[in-house]
């Protein structure tokens, strides 16, 4: 005799995809590629259209990728192409100081020669990393992309999970992964609690050209209002992540480029010679 609950059971076992990933920023596509390579069917969902996420020009953003992240990119088959434009970080120097006074004579120093595995990490620009990930996702037939699709609800059950999109559509998966950034709605809807506190700081972010070579050295200066990171990029360029009190950052960011550099120069010092902007300026958050 037919099981009267057969239709309901079949519906529950009917999946659009094995794994639905909410968020197509950096972590979502990376995980999607890794899962697809193990044979899983993946649906990668992002509220944004893919165009703005794959901007080809240099917008000043870059990432310090630690050795483990580089190994991940190697495993995904992406590193060979990324390495051409990546800058190895050979040393990291951490010190404190005050604007105009230069760094303290005491500093922490990490040298790649001590780890015997190559550089401490690599600087990779967003304009190279993001398109490489998205091109690999495009080429992977096991990944279905749903761009311009915002997930607004999720309902887990005994067999899987149903995601509801803002347009009313649904996606049913065996498993859903939240890769939807620091305000993750997936996490909130799943009841994952988190503790947050504000530092009252905002990071001013840009890339600069400088006169003298950086020799692959990354610097982190701890200043009274917040840390200043100077991270080497290819050529005579560095990425700047410059944390200030939110009030200071707002004021500095409103300045025209040349005045902005005038504020940066005494914090930066003269060890890289003359500096100029090499891309757009940003603030986070
Ligand atoms: C100034 C700065 C410098 C940094 N430097 C480094 C560094 O040197 N090295 C490093 O490793 N990291 C660095 N980071 C951190 C790094 O940028 C983040 O950890 C990383 O971008 C997070 O990626 P993600 O994919 O998790 O999230 P995100 O890149 O935030 O992507 C989340 C995606 O989810 C989508 N989304 C959100 N909600 C929904 C929804 N409801 N439905 C569908 N889609 C949704 C969004 O559209 C977005 O595309 C830096 C960050 C900042 C701000």
């Amino acid at each position: 005799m037919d099981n009267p609950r057969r239709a309901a059971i079949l519906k529950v076992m009917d999946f659009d995809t094995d794994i639905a990933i909410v968020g197509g920023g950096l972590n979502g596509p990376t995980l999607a590629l890794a899962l697809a390579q193990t044979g899983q069917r993946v649906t990668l969902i992002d509220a944004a259209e893919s165009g703005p996420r794959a901007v080809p020009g240099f917008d000043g953003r870059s990432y310090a990728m630690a050795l483990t992240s580089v190994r991940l990119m190697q495993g995904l088959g992406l590193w060979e192409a990324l390495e051409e434009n990546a800058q190895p970080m050979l040393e990291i120097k951490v010190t404190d100081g005050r604007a105009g006074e230069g760094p303290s004579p005491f500093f922490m120093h990490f040298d790649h020669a001590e780890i015997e595995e190559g550089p401490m990490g690599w600087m990779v620009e967003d304009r190279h990393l993001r398109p490489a990930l998205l091109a690999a996702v495009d080429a992977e037939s096991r990944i279905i992309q749903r761009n311009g699709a915002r997930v607004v609800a999720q309902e887990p059950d005994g067999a899987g999970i149903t995601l509801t999109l803002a347009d009313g559509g649904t996606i049913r998966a065996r498993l859903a992964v939240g890769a939807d950034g620091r305000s993750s709605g997936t996490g909130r809807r799943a009841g994952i609690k988190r503790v947050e506190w504000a530092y009252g700081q905002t990071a001013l972010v840009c890339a600069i050209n400088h006169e003298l070579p950086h020799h692959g050295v990354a610097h982190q200066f701890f200043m009274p209002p917040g840390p200043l990171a100077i991270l080497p990029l290819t050529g005579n360029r560095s990425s700047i992540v410059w944390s200030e009190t939110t009030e200071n950052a707002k004021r500095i960011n409103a300045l025209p480029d040349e005045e902005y550099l005038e504020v940066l120069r005494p914090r930066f010092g003269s060890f890289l010679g003359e500096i100029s902007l090499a891309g757009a300026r940003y603030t986070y958050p």
Side-chain angles (χ1 to χ4, degrees), residues 39-117:
Q40 304 289 330
R41 289 177 310 143
V42 181
T43 299
L44 183 60
I45 310 159
D46 203 287
E49 296 294 343
S50 70
R53 291 191 287 130
V55 184
F58 185 37
D59 66 4
R61 283 184 295 170
S62 41
Y63 306 99
M65 291 180 72
L67 212 50
T68 314
S69 302
V70 170
R71 288 197 187 115
L72 177 60
M73 291 298 140
Q74 285 168 341
L76 296 178
L78 298 180
W79 184 245
E80 209 174 308
L82 287 173
E83 190 177 2
E84 280 175 31
N85 296 301
Q87 168 63 46
M89 272 191 292
L90 304 176
E91 295 173 49
I92 301 174
K93 287 185 177 172
V94 183
T95 184
D96 63 11
R98 287 168 194 280
E101 290 180 17
S104 146
F106 306 105
F107 57 86
M108 289 200 294
H109 183 210
F110 304 92
D111 192 329
H112 75 296
E114 291 166 15
I115 60 171
E116 297 175 5
E117 287 186 86

Side-chain angles (χ1 to χ4, degrees), residues 10-50:
L10 281 180
K11 191 167 187 313
V12 166
M13 298 301 287
D14 192 14
F15 296 103
D16 301 307
T17 188
D18 293 323
I19 299 169
I21 299 176
V22 186
L26 294 179
N27 287 318
T30 304
L31 179 63
L33 288 166
L35 289 170
Q37 286 180 10
T38 69
Q40 304 289 330
R41 289 177 310 143
V42 181
T43 299
L44 183 60
I45 310 159
D46 203 287
E49 296 294 343
S50 70

Side-chain angles (χ1 to χ4, degrees), residues 248-261:
N248 274 358
K250 204 171 166 190
R251 193 174 43 77
I252 296 166
N253 197 47
L255 298 172
D257 287 355
E258 201 35 57
E259 288 176 40
Y260 178 94
L261 285 172

Side-chain angles (χ1 to χ4, degrees), residues 201-220:
Q201 292 176 338
T202 294
L204 297 146
V205 180
C206 62
I208 54 155
N209 298 307
H210 41 77
E211 197 182 1
L212 304 174
H214 48 53
H215 301 296
V217 183
H219 296 266
Q220 183 98 26

